[in-house]
Amino acid sequence: MNGNLSTGLKIAALLAAAALTGCSGSRNQARNPAGDRPFPLGAVSDAHWETQETNAQAAKFIFHDQEFVGDTAELAPSAKKHLMEVALRLEHVPFPVVIEESQYDRNPELDQKRRRTVVEQLGRLGVVNVEDRVVVANSFAEGFTAIEGESAYYSTLNGTVLDGGAGRRGAGGFGTFR
């Protein structure tokens, strides 16, 4: 009987220790503050994706070098459509209109002429306070070299996915084309 009593005391002591250290499910949940619980799915990454979306929207207000005819301040035909889109949206967004500066800031006079052209055209389209919203700055995104652009173009035509320098075709499955 003595052996059973000591075993019983050991079990009771272990149960008491477990209760004091919080091994019980209901006690453990009561002790942890709400901040210790994991975030809902996507809650942490949402801010990152919203920033990416905002940056993409701001990039739509950049007039790149190729939107002007050669080394002039004259807008190319595709830039005129871009100008109309900017004029329609400009009063609804906080972004500036950016005129991409010449590479290595080699021609600041041309950059200012291009800025003046865009300001005048937006003013003709009825945009108010346009003088304060048009700036000359870098384009915020690195461009492609001709070789990189050609490679990207042909990889989309061939359906090739670049993977560590080796091209491979889509292997079927969800989201691939054959």
Side-chain angles (χ1 to χ4, degrees), residues 107-155:
N107 198 344
E109 296 85 24
L110 176 61
D111 298 340
Q112 289 303 319
K113 287 179 184 176
R114 289 177 172 179
R115 179 188 176 279
R116 174 61 39 212
T117 298
V118 171
V119 167
E120 289 171 1
Q121 294 296 324
L122 288 173
R124 286 185 189 147
L125 293 171
V127 178
V128 294
N129 297 330
V130 71
E131 186 72 38
D132 300 332
R133 304 263 320 253
V134 180
V135 297
V136 175
N138 62 10
S139 69
F140 307 113
E142 291 184 27
F144 283 99
T145 65
I147 294 170
E148 292 169 333
E150 181 182 23
S151 174
Y153 173 75
Y154 285 115
S155 71

mmCIF file of all heavy atoms in Angstrom, residues 107-155:
data_model
loop_
_atom_site.group_PDB
_atom_site.id
_atom_site.type_symbol
_atom_site.label_atom_id
_atom_site.label_comp_id
_atom_site.label_asym_id
_atom_site.label_seq_id
_atom_site.Cartn_x
_atom_site.Cartn_y
_atom_site.Cartn_z
ATOM 1 N N ASN A 107 21.803 66.672 -70.686
ATOM 2 C CA ASN A 107 21.191 67.764 -71.437
ATOM 3 C C ASN A 107 20.055 68.398 -70.618
ATOM 4 O O ASN A 107 18.871 68.222 -70.932
ATOM 5 C CB ASN A 107 20.670 67.235 -72.777
ATOM 6 C CG ASN A 107 20.435 68.337 -73.770
ATOM 7 O OD1 ASN A 107 20.365 69.508 -73.409
ATOM 8 N ND2 ASN A 107 20.293 67.969 -75.027
ATOM 9 N N PRO A 108 20.383 69.156 -69.588
ATOM 10 C CA PRO A 108 19.345 69.747 -68.738
ATOM 11 C C PRO A 108 18.462 70.759 -69.468
ATOM 12 O O PRO A 108 17.285 70.923 -69.114
ATOM 13 C CB PRO A 108 20.111 70.396 -67.590
ATOM 14 C CG PRO A 108 21.528 70.445 -67.999
ATOM 15 C CD PRO A 108 21.726 69.445 -69.093
ATOM 16 N N GLU A 109 18.993 71.424 -70.507
ATOM 17 C CA GLU A 109 18.173 72.382 -71.262
ATOM 18 C C GLU A 109 17.051 71.654 -71.989
ATOM 19 O O GLU A 109 15.896 72.104 -71.994
ATOM 20 C CB GLU A 109 19.017 73.160 -72.283
ATOM 21 C CG GLU A 109 20.082 74.033 -71.687
ATOM 22 C CD GLU A 109 21.380 73.270 -71.399
ATOM 23 O OE1 GLU A 109 21.624 72.224 -72.045
ATOM 24 O OE2 GLU A 109 22.129 73.704 -70.519
ATOM 25 N N LEU A 110 17.373 70.512 -72.592
ATOM 26 C CA LEU A 110 16.356 69.710 -73.275
ATOM 27 C C LEU A 110 15.318 69.202 -72.278
ATOM 28 O O LEU A 110 14.121 69.206 -72.565
ATOM 29 C CB LEU A 110 16.997 68.528 -74.015
ATOM 30 C CG LEU A 110 16.027 67.565 -74.696
ATOM 31 C CD1 LEU A 110 15.200 68.276 -75.765
ATOM 32 C CD2 LEU A 110 16.788 66.387 -75.289
ATOM 33 N N ASP A 111 15.765 68.785 -71.099
ATOM 34 C CA ASP A 111 14.838 68.310 -70.067
ATOM 35 C C ASP A 111 13.839 69.401 -69.690
ATOM 36 O O ASP A 111 12.635 69.137 -69.543
ATOM 37 C CB ASP A 111 15.611 67.854 -68.825
ATOM 38 C CG ASP A 111 16.541 66.686 -69.095
ATOM 39 O OD1 ASP A 111 16.333 65.983 -70.104
ATOM 40 O OD2 ASP A 111 17.474 66.488 -68.294
ATOM 41 N N GLN A 112 14.316 70.639 -69.552
ATOM 42 C CA GLN A 112 13.424 71.745 -69.198
ATOM 43 C C GLN A 112 12.471 72.092 -70.344
ATOM 44 O O GLN A 112 11.311 72.447 -70.114
ATOM 45 C CB GLN A 112 14.234 72.973 -68.772
ATOM 46 C CG GLN A 112 14.923 72.803 -67.428
ATOM 47 C CD GLN A 112 13.946 72.469 -66.310
ATOM 48 O OE1 GLN A 112 12.853 73.015 -66.206
ATOM 49 N NE2 GLN A 112 14.345 71.522 -65.462
ATOM 50 N N LYS A 113 12.950 71.983 -71.585
ATOM 51 C CA LYS A 113 12.061 72.214 -72.737
ATOM 52 C C LYS A 113 10.950 71.168 -72.775
ATOM 53 O O LYS A 113 9.791 71.475 -73.052
ATOM 54 C CB LYS A 113 12.855 72.182 -74.048
ATOM 55 C CG LYS A 113 13.730 73.389 -74.277
ATOM 56 C CD LYS A 113 14.496 73.252 -75.584
ATOM 57 C CE LYS A 113 15.463 74.396 -75.792
ATOM 58 N NZ LYS A 113 16.274 74.219 -77.004
ATOM 59 N N ARG A 114 11.311 69.922 -72.506
ATOM 60 C CA ARG A 114 10.306 68.853 -72.474
ATOM 61 C C ARG A 114 9.305 69.088 -71.346
ATOM 62 O O ARG A 114 8.105 68.884 -71.522
ATOM 63 C CB ARG A 114 10.987 67.490 -72.306
ATOM 64 C CG ARG A 114 11.739 67.071 -73.560
ATOM 65 C CD ARG A 114 12.458 65.767 -73.366
ATOM 66 N NE ARG A 114 13.007 65.289 -74.629
ATOM 67 C CZ ARG A 114 13.709 64.175 -74.758
ATOM 68 N NH1 ARG A 114 13.953 63.419 -73.702
ATOM 69 N NH2 ARG A 114 14.152 63.811 -75.946
ATOM 70 N N ARG A 115 9.792 69.536 -70.210
ATOM 71 C CA ARG A 115 8.891 69.858 -69.093
ATOM 72 C C ARG A 115 7.924 70.964 -69.510
ATOM 73 O O ARG A 115 6.725 70.876 -69.281
ATOM 74 C CB ARG A 115 9.704 70.292 -67.877
ATOM 75 C CG ARG A 115 8.836 70.669 -66.692
ATOM 76 C CD ARG A 115 9.664 71.272 -65.557
ATOM 77 N NE ARG A 115 8.783 71.703 -64.493
ATOM 78 C CZ ARG A 115 8.103 72.838 -64.470
ATOM 79 N NH1 ARG A 115 8.217 73.698 -65.480
ATOM 80 N NH2 ARG A 115 7.320 73.142 -63.465
ATOM 81 N N ARG A 116 8.440 72.002 -70.136
ATOM 82 C CA ARG A 116 7.621 73.130 -70.579
ATOM 83 C C ARG A 116 6.556 72.647 -71.562
ATOM 84 O O ARG A 116 5.404 73.056 -71.491
ATOM 85 C CB ARG A 116 8.523 74.199 -71.208
ATOM 86 C CG ARG A 116 7.837 75.378 -71.854
ATOM 87 C CD ARG A 116 6.962 76.244 -70.978
ATOM 88 N NE ARG A 116 7.434 76.494 -69.648
ATOM 89 C CZ ARG A 116 6.614 76.663 -68.602
ATOM 90 N NH1 ARG A 116 5.315 76.634 -68.753
ATOM 91 N NH2 ARG A 116 7.084 76.901 -67.414
ATOM 92 N N THR A 117 6.923 71.743 -72.493
ATOM 93 C CA THR A 117 5.968 71.208 -73.467
ATOM 94 C C THR A 117 4.827 70.476 -72.760
ATOM 95 O O THR A 117 3.653 70.688 -73.076
ATOM 96 C CB THR A 117 6.666 70.241 -74.448
ATOM 97 O OG1 THR A 117 7.659 70.967 -75.163
ATOM 98 C CG2 THR A 117 5.692 69.622 -75.410
ATOM 99 N N VAL A 118 5.173 69.626 -71.796
ATOM 100 C CA VAL A 118 4.146 68.866 -71.076
ATOM 101 C C VAL A 118 3.262 69.802 -70.259
ATOM 102 O O VAL A 118 2.027 69.641 -70.223
ATOM 103 C CB VAL A 118 4.790 67.762 -70.206
ATOM 104 C CG1 VAL A 118 3.770 67.115 -69.293
ATOM 105 C CG2 VAL A 118 5.453 66.718 -71.091
ATOM 106 N N VAL A 119 3.854 70.805 -69.615
ATOM 107 C CA VAL A 119 3.067 71.777 -68.846
ATOM 108 C C VAL A 119 2.082 72.502 -69.762
ATOM 109 O O VAL A 119 0.898 72.649 -69.429
ATOM 110 C CB VAL A 119 4.000 72.782 -68.119
ATOM 111 C CG1 VAL A 119 3.223 73.975 -67.597
ATOM 112 C CG2 VAL A 119 4.749 72.093 -66.997
ATOM 113 N N GLU A 120 2.550 72.955 -70.911
ATOM 114 C CA GLU A 120 1.671 73.665 -71.853
ATOM 115 C C GLU A 120 0.540 72.777 -72.346
ATOM 116 O O GLU A 120 -0.616 73.204 -72.402
ATOM 117 C CB GLU A 120 2.487 74.189 -73.040
ATOM 118 C CG GLU A 120 3.401 75.341 -72.699
ATOM 119 C CD GLU A 120 4.347 75.693 -73.841
ATOM 120 O OE1 GLU A 120 4.284 75.048 -74.915
ATOM 121 O OE2 GLU A 120 5.165 76.617 -73.644
ATOM 122 N N GLN A 121 0.872 71.541 -72.701
ATOM 123 C CA GLN A 121 -0.157 70.629 -73.219
ATOM 124 C C GLN A 121 -1.192 70.279 -72.143
ATOM 125 O O GLN A 121 -2.390 70.238 -72.428
ATOM 126 C CB GLN A 121 0.492 69.348 -73.763
ATOM 127 C CG GLN A 121 1.358 69.557 -74.973
ATOM 128 C CD GLN A 121 0.553 70.060 -76.167
ATOM 129 O OE1 GLN A 121 -0.593 69.677 -76.381
ATOM 130 N NE2 GLN A 121 1.157 70.932 -76.953
ATOM 131 N N LEU A 122 -0.749 70.040 -70.931
ATOM 132 C CA LEU A 122 -1.697 69.755 -69.850
ATOM 133 C C LEU A 122 -2.548 70.984 -69.543
ATOM 134 O O LEU A 122 -3.738 70.869 -69.246
ATOM 135 C CB LEU A 122 -0.960 69.282 -68.596
ATOM 136 C CG LEU A 122 -0.369 67.875 -68.661
ATOM 137 C CD1 LEU A 122 0.485 67.589 -67.436
ATOM 138 C CD2 LEU A 122 -1.473 66.829 -68.795
ATOM 139 N N GLY A 123 -1.944 72.180 -69.618
ATOM 140 C CA GLY A 123 -2.702 73.414 -69.423
ATOM 141 C C GLY A 123 -3.778 73.579 -70.483
ATOM 142 O O GLY A 123 -4.906 73.994 -70.187
ATOM 143 N N ARG A 124 -3.469 73.243 -71.740
ATOM 144 C CA ARG A 124 -4.466 73.302 -72.822
ATOM 145 C C ARG A 124 -5.618 72.327 -72.589
ATOM 146 O O ARG A 124 -6.731 72.567 -73.031
ATOM 147 C CB ARG A 124 -3.813 72.991 -74.161
ATOM 148 C CG ARG A 124 -2.962 74.098 -74.681
ATOM 149 C CD ARG A 124 -2.442 73.786 -76.066
ATOM 150 N NE ARG A 124 -1.454 74.787 -76.433
ATOM 151 C CZ ARG A 124 -0.409 74.552 -77.176
ATOM 152 N NH1 ARG A 124 -0.197 73.357 -77.663
ATOM 153 N NH2 ARG A 124 0.439 75.514 -77.450
ATOM 154 N N LEU A 125 -5.310 71.235 -71.907
ATOM 155 C CA LEU A 125 -6.351 70.239 -71.630
ATOM 156 C C LEU A 125 -7.157 70.582 -70.379
ATOM 157 O O LEU A 125 -8.032 69.814 -69.980
ATOM 158 C CB LEU A 125 -5.719 68.851 -71.487
ATOM 159 C CG LEU A 125 -5.106 68.288 -72.765
ATOM 160 C CD1 LEU A 125 -4.306 67.021 -72.471
ATOM 161 C CD2 LEU A 125 -6.186 68.006 -73.799
ATOM 162 N N GLY A 126 -6.857 71.709 -69.763
ATOM 163 C CA GLY A 126 -7.660 72.186 -68.647
ATOM 164 C C GLY A 126 -7.192 71.767 -67.272
ATOM 165 O O GLY A 126 -7.916 71.945 -66.295
ATOM 166 N N VAL A 127 -6.002 71.225 -67.157
ATOM 167 C CA VAL A 127 -5.484 70.833 -65.846
ATOM 168 C C VAL A 127 -5.023 72.087 -65.115
ATOM 169 O O VAL A 127 -4.288 72.905 -65.663
ATOM 170 C CB VAL A 127 -4.318 69.826 -65.991
ATOM 171 C CG1 VAL A 127 -3.764 69.460 -64.631
ATOM 172 C CG2 VAL A 127 -4.763 68.591 -66.742
ATOM 173 N N VAL A 128 -5.476 72.258 -63.882
ATOM 174 C CA VAL A 128 -5.112 73.444 -63.094
ATOM 175 C C VAL A 128 -3.890 73.139 -62.230
ATOM 176 O O VAL A 128 -3.640 71.997 -61.861
ATOM 177 C CB VAL A 128 -6.289 73.917 -62.218
ATOM 178 C CG1 VAL A 128 -7.432 74.413 -63.083
ATOM 179 C CG2 VAL A 128 -6.760 72.819 -61.296
ATOM 180 N N ASN A 129 -3.145 74.183 -61.887
ATOM 181 C CA ASN A 129 -1.943 74.083 -61.059
ATOM 182 C C ASN A 129 -0.935 73.080 -61.614
ATOM 183 O O ASN A 129 -0.228 72.416 -60.862
ATOM 184 C CB ASN A 129 -2.297 73.705 -59.613
ATOM 185 C CG ASN A 129 -3.129 74.752 -58.939
ATOM 186 O OD1 ASN A 129 -3.034 75.938 -59.241
ATOM 187 N ND2 ASN A 129 -3.976 74.310 -58.026
ATOM 188 N N VAL A 130 -0.889 72.972 -62.913
ATOM 189 C CA VAL A 130 -0.008 71.985 -63.531
ATOM 190 C C VAL A 130 1.456 72.373 -63.395
ATOM 191 O O VAL A 130 2.331 71.513 -63.333
ATOM 192 C CB VAL A 130 -0.413 71.741 -64.998
ATOM 193 C CG1 VAL A 130 -0.083 72.927 -65.863
ATOM 194 C CG2 VAL A 130 0.226 70.487 -65.529
ATOM 195 N N GLU A 131 1.741 73.658 -63.307
ATOM 196 C CA GLU A 131 3.130 74.128 -63.188
ATOM 197 C C GLU A 131 3.805 73.532 -61.953
ATOM 198 O O GLU A 131 4.981 73.186 -61.979
ATOM 199 C CB GLU A 131 3.145 75.661 -63.114
ATOM 200 C CG GLU A 131 4.519 76.281 -63.138
ATOM 201 C CD GLU A 131 5.185 76.202 -64.502
ATOM 202 O OE1 GLU A 131 4.489 76.351 -65.524
ATOM 203 O OE2 GLU A 131 6.410 75.989 -64.530
ATOM 204 N N ASP A 132 3.043 73.379 -60.870
ATOM 205 C CA ASP A 132 3.596 72.846 -59.622
ATOM 206 C C ASP A 132 3.702 71.327 -59.623
ATOM 207 O O ASP A 132 4.378 70.760 -58.766
ATOM 208 C CB ASP A 132 2.726 73.274 -58.437
ATOM 209 C CG ASP A 132 2.649 74.782 -58.294
ATOM 210 O OD1 ASP A 132 3.612 75.461 -58.706
ATOM 211 O OD2 ASP A 132 1.631 75.281 -57.785
ATOM 212 N N ARG A 133 3.026 70.665 -60.529
ATOM 213 C CA ARG A 133 2.960 69.198 -60.504
ATOM 214 C C ARG A 133 3.902 68.518 -61.484
ATOM 215 O O ARG A 133 4.049 67.298 -61.432
ATOM 216 C CB ARG A 133 1.531 68.739 -60.823
ATOM 217 C CG ARG A 133 0.448 69.288 -59.943
ATOM 218 C CD ARG A 133 -0.016 68.451 -58.801
ATOM 219 N NE ARG A 133 -0.185 67.042 -58.940
ATOM 220 C CZ ARG A 133 -1.342 66.404 -59.005
ATOM 221 N NH1 ARG A 133 -2.468 67.074 -59.043
ATOM 222 N NH2 ARG A 133 -1.381 65.102 -59.034
ATOM 223 N N VAL A 134 4.519 69.255 -62.393
ATOM 224 C CA VAL A 134 5.399 68.648 -63.392
ATOM 225 C C VAL A 134 6.843 68.913 -62.987
ATOM 226 O O VAL A 134 7.241 70.059 -62.798
ATOM 227 C CB VAL A 134 5.122 69.205 -64.811
ATOM 228 C CG1 VAL A 134 6.050 68.562 -65.830
ATOM 229 C CG2 VAL A 134 3.665 68.972 -65.193
ATOM 230 N N VAL A 135 7.618 67.838 -62.862
ATOM 231 C CA VAL A 135 9.012 67.935 -62.433
ATOM 232 C C VAL A 135 9.900 67.127 -63.369
ATOM 233 O O VAL A 135 9.436 66.220 -64.054
ATOM 234 C CB VAL A 135 9.206 67.429 -60.983
ATOM 235 C CG1 VAL A 135 8.429 68.268 -59.996
ATOM 236 C CG2 VAL A 135 8.825 65.971 -60.867
ATOM 237 N N VAL A 136 11.172 67.459 -63.373
ATOM 238 C CA VAL A 136 12.180 66.667 -64.086
ATOM 239 C C VAL A 136 12.911 65.848 -63.039
ATOM 240 O O VAL A 136 13.413 66.392 -62.062
ATOM 241 C CB VAL A 136 13.171 67.566 -64.856
ATOM 242 C CG1 VAL A 136 14.280 66.731 -65.476
ATOM 243 C CG2 VAL A 136 12.445 68.378 -65.912
ATOM 244 N N ALA A 137 12.939 64.532 -63.225
ATOM 245 C CA ALA A 137 13.606 63.640 -62.273
ATOM 246 C C ALA A 137 13.958 62.345 -62.981
ATOM 247 O O ALA A 137 13.622 62.151 -64.153
ATOM 248 C CB ALA A 137 12.687 63.367 -61.080
ATOM 249 N N ASN A 138 14.632 61.462 -62.246
ATOM 250 C CA ASN A 138 14.907 60.165 -62.855
ATOM 251 C C ASN A 138 13.600 59.384 -62.964
ATOM 252 O O ASN A 138 12.603 59.738 -62.355
ATOM 253 C CB ASN A 138 15.962 59.395 -62.064
ATOM 254 C CG ASN A 138 15.531 59.087 -60.648
ATOM 255 O OD1 ASN A 138 14.380 59.278 -60.280
ATOM 256 N ND2 ASN A 138 16.458 58.622 -59.853
ATOM 257 N N SER A 139 13.599 58.303 -63.723
ATOM 258 C CA SER A 139 12.346 57.592 -63.997
ATOM 259 C C SER A 139 11.976 56.597 -62.911
ATOM 260 O O SER A 139 10.957 55.935 -63.007
ATOM 261 C CB SER A 139 12.436 56.869 -65.341
ATOM 262 O OG SER A 139 13.357 55.814 -65.243
ATOM 263 N N PHE A 140 12.804 56.440 -61.892
ATOM 264 C CA PHE A 140 12.552 55.556 -60.753
ATOM 265 C C PHE A 140 12.669 54.077 -61.085
ATOM 266 O O PHE A 140 12.599 53.253 -60.214
ATOM 267 C CB PHE A 140 11.178 55.805 -60.108
ATOM 268 C CG PHE A 140 10.952 57.239 -59.749
ATOM 269 C CD1 PHE A 140 10.001 57.985 -60.401
ATOM 270 C CD2 PHE A 140 11.703 57.847 -58.770
ATOM 271 C CE1 PHE A 140 9.798 59.315 -60.083
ATOM 272 C CE2 PHE A 140 11.510 59.172 -58.445
ATOM 273 C CZ PHE A 140 10.555 59.905 -59.102
ATOM 274 N N ALA A 141 12.792 53.729 -62.326
ATOM 275 C CA ALA A 141 12.937 52.319 -62.713
ATOM 276 C C ALA A 141 14.111 52.204 -63.669
ATOM 277 O O ALA A 141 14.280 53.031 -64.557
ATOM 278 C CB ALA A 141 11.670 51.821 -63.378
ATOM 279 N N GLU A 142 14.898 51.177 -63.461
ATOM 280 C CA GLU A 142 16.017 50.972 -64.365
ATOM 281 C C GLU A 142 15.491 50.499 -65.708
ATOM 282 O O GLU A 142 14.543 49.730 -65.782
ATOM 283 C CB GLU A 142 16.965 49.912 -63.800
ATOM 284 C CG GLU A 142 17.709 50.364 -62.575
ATOM 285 C CD GLU A 142 18.709 49.325 -62.105
ATOM 286 O OE1 GLU A 142 19.201 48.539 -62.943
ATOM 287 O OE2 GLU A 142 18.988 49.313 -60.910
ATOM 288 N N GLY A 143 16.102 50.945 -66.753
ATOM 289 C CA GLY A 143 15.697 50.519 -68.082
ATOM 290 C C GLY A 143 16.366 49.222 -68.482
ATOM 291 O O GLY A 143 17.177 48.664 -67.753
ATOM 292 N N PHE A 144 16.006 48.740 -69.647
ATOM 293 C CA PHE A 144 16.613 47.548 -70.228
ATOM 294 C C PHE A 144 17.660 47.974 -71.241
ATOM 295 O O PHE A 144 17.497 48.986 -71.917
ATOM 296 C CB PHE A 144 15.563 46.727 -70.998
ATOM 297 C CG PHE A 144 14.650 45.930 -70.131
ATOM 298 C CD1 PHE A 144 13.388 46.385 -69.817
ATOM 299 C CD2 PHE A 144 15.042 44.688 -69.659
ATOM 300 C CE1 PHE A 144 12.541 45.640 -69.035
ATOM 301 C CE2 PHE A 144 14.203 43.929 -68.877
ATOM 302 C CZ PHE A 144 12.950 44.409 -68.564
ATOM 303 N N THR A 145 18.683 47.187 -71.387
ATOM 304 C CA THR A 145 19.564 47.378 -72.521
ATOM 305 C C THR A 145 18.870 46.751 -73.725
ATOM 306 O O THR A 145 17.902 45.997 -73.584
ATOM 307 C CB THR A 145 20.929 46.687 -72.299
ATOM 308 O OG1 THR A 145 20.718 45.274 -72.230
ATOM 309 C CG2 THR A 145 21.611 47.181 -71.036
ATOM 310 N N ALA A 146 19.354 47.040 -74.914
ATOM 311 C CA ALA A 146 18.753 46.481 -76.122
ATOM 312 C C ALA A 146 18.809 44.959 -76.114
ATOM 313 O O ALA A 146 17.849 44.281 -76.488
ATOM 314 C CB ALA A 146 19.452 47.041 -77.359
ATOM 315 N N ILE A 147 19.900 44.403 -75.648
ATOM 316 C CA ILE A 147 20.047 42.942 -75.612
ATOM 317 C C ILE A 147 19.065 42.330 -74.624
ATOM 318 O O ILE A 147 18.425 41.314 -74.912
ATOM 319 C CB ILE A 147 21.508 42.567 -75.266
ATOM 320 C CG1 ILE A 147 22.422 43.012 -76.401
ATOM 321 C CG2 ILE A 147 21.642 41.078 -74.994
ATOM 322 C CD1 ILE A 147 23.895 42.911 -76.089
ATOM 323 N N GLU A 148 18.908 42.947 -73.432
ATOM 324 C CA GLU A 148 17.949 42.433 -72.451
ATOM 325 C C GLU A 148 16.525 42.537 -72.972
ATOM 326 O O GLU A 148 15.714 41.622 -72.776
ATOM 327 C CB GLU A 148 18.072 43.215 -71.137
ATOM 328 C CG GLU A 148 19.359 42.994 -70.392
ATOM 329 C CD GLU A 148 19.549 43.968 -69.250
ATOM 330 O OE1 GLU A 148 19.012 45.097 -69.304
ATOM 331 O OE2 GLU A 148 20.247 43.599 -68.292
ATOM 332 N N GLY A 149 16.212 43.634 -73.633
ATOM 333 C CA GLY A 149 14.874 43.805 -74.193
ATOM 334 C C GLY A 149 14.567 42.791 -75.268
ATOM 335 O O GLY A 149 13.476 42.220 -75.316
ATOM 336 N N GLU A 150 15.530 42.550 -76.137
ATOM 337 C CA GLU A 150 15.338 41.556 -77.202
ATOM 338 C C GLU A 150 15.140 40.170 -76.617
ATOM 339 O O GLU A 150 14.257 39.421 -77.032
ATOM 340 C CB GLU A 150 16.538 41.568 -78.142
ATOM 341 C CG GLU A 150 16.406 40.590 -79.297
ATOM 342 C CD GLU A 150 17.635 40.580 -80.180
ATOM 343 O OE1 GLU A 150 18.719 40.957 -79.712
ATOM 344 O OE2 GLU A 150 17.492 40.175 -81.348
ATOM 345 N N SER A 151 15.923 39.832 -75.607
ATOM 346 C CA SER A 151 15.803 38.528 -74.962
ATOM 347 C C SER A 151 14.436 38.367 -74.305
ATOM 348 O O SER A 151 13.795 37.319 -74.420
ATOM 349 C CB SER A 151 16.912 38.363 -73.920
ATOM 350 O OG SER A 151 16.737 37.187 -73.189
ATOM 351 N N ALA A 152 13.977 39.405 -73.616
ATOM 352 C CA ALA A 152 12.659 39.345 -72.974
ATOM 353 C C ALA A 152 11.554 39.213 -74.009
ATOM 354 O O ALA A 152 10.596 38.458 -73.821
ATOM 355 C CB ALA A 152 12.443 40.586 -72.114
ATOM 356 N N TYR A 153 11.674 39.918 -75.109
ATOM 357 C CA TYR A 153 10.670 39.873 -76.170
ATOM 358 C C TYR A 153 10.554 38.466 -76.747
ATOM 359 O O TYR A 153 9.473 37.900 -76.835
ATOM 360 C CB TYR A 153 11.034 40.872 -77.276
ATOM 361 C CG TYR A 153 10.153 40.776 -78.496
ATOM 362 C CD1 TYR A 153 8.854 41.275 -78.470
ATOM 363 C CD2 TYR A 153 10.610 40.183 -79.660
ATOM 364 C CE1 TYR A 153 8.035 41.187 -79.582
ATOM 365 C CE2 TYR A 153 9.806 40.096 -80.781
ATOM 366 C CZ TYR A 153 8.512 40.598 -80.735
ATOM 367 O OH TYR A 153 7.706 40.508 -81.840
ATOM 368 N N TYR A 154 11.702 37.883 -77.124
ATOM 369 C CA TYR A 154 11.661 36.564 -77.748
ATOM 370 C C TYR A 154 11.276 35.469 -76.760
ATOM 371 O O TYR A 154 10.669 34.476 -77.145
ATOM 372 C CB TYR A 154 12.985 36.246 -78.438
ATOM 373 C CG TYR A 154 13.117 37.008 -79.734
ATOM 374 C CD1 TYR A 154 14.100 37.965 -79.907
ATOM 375 C CD2 TYR A 154 12.217 36.797 -80.770
ATOM 376 C CE1 TYR A 154 14.198 38.680 -81.085
ATOM 377 C CE2 TYR A 154 12.299 37.512 -81.947
ATOM 378 C CZ TYR A 154 13.298 38.442 -82.105
ATOM 379 O OH TYR A 154 13.371 39.153 -83.266
ATOM 380 N N SER A 155 11.591 35.643 -75.480
ATOM 381 C CA SER A 155 11.193 34.624 -74.509
ATOM 382 C C SER A 155 9.680 34.601 -74.331
ATOM 383 O O SER A 155 9.102 33.549 -74.071
ATOM 384 C CB SER A 155 11.892 34.843 -73.168
ATOM 385 O OG SER A 155 11.396 35.981 -72.515
#
